[in-house]
Amino acid sequence: MTLQEYDYARESPSKLAASCLLLALTMKNLGGWTPTLEYYSGYSAQDLHPLVKRLNFLLTYQPRDKLNAVRSKYSHRVFFEVAKVTPMDMLKLEETLTTS
């Protein structure tokens, strides 16, 4: 999704990937950012929080009428229909990030 958004071009690819992973872990209730993830990524959970919030906002308020190729591709069962996953409520995400 971020490939289609110019605002994310200035983000480090490693930070973007780490933030996506943290958001996915949070959305699926699979735990938080572990010391192992921090060590190998080089990012603490606090470093990632602002970008995680922006990513969730992108999922929540994206225009649905244009640039649907990525959404269509990742809505297929081969990709586990990840494009159909419901974004987190912004307040619940904030609460989860601050407690972890």
Side-chain angles (χ1 to χ4, degrees):
M1 301 291 304
T2 60
L3 293 173
Q4 302 173 88
E5 299 293 330
Y6 186 72
D7 292 342
Y8 293 90
R10 63 187 153 102
E11 296 294 343
S12 157
S14 63
K15 188 173 186 179
L16 189 57
S19 297
C20 288
L21 177 58
L22 178 55
L23 179 58
L25 290 170
T26 306
M27 288 173 76
K28 292 303 227 172
N29 223 6
L30 296 173
W33 202 245
T34 65
T36 303
L37 290 170
E38 183 174 341
Y39 176 79
Y40 285 107
S41 71
Y43 298 106
S44 70
Q46 289 74 26
D47 295 338
L48 303 175
H49 287 181
L51 188 51
V52 168
K53 292 177 199 172
R54 285 179 51 216
L55 289 167
N56 192 62
F57 185 84
L58 175 66
L59 292 173
T60 305
Y61 297 105
Q62 60 188 321
R64 305 234 184 241
D65 56 341
K66 297 180 183 177
L67 303 172
N68 284 319
V70 172
R71 173 170 295 288
S72 176
K73 176 180 179 177
Y74 288 97
S75 293
H76 194 273
R77 64 185 170 112
V78 170
F79 296 103
F80 304 101
E81 299 177 334
V82 295
K84 295 179 181 178
V85 174
T86 306
M88 287 191 72
D89 176 70
M90 296 300 275
L91 293 174
K92 183 176 180 183
L93 177 63
E94 178 72 34
E95 179 182 312
T96 303
L97 290 175
T98 55
T99 59
S100 57

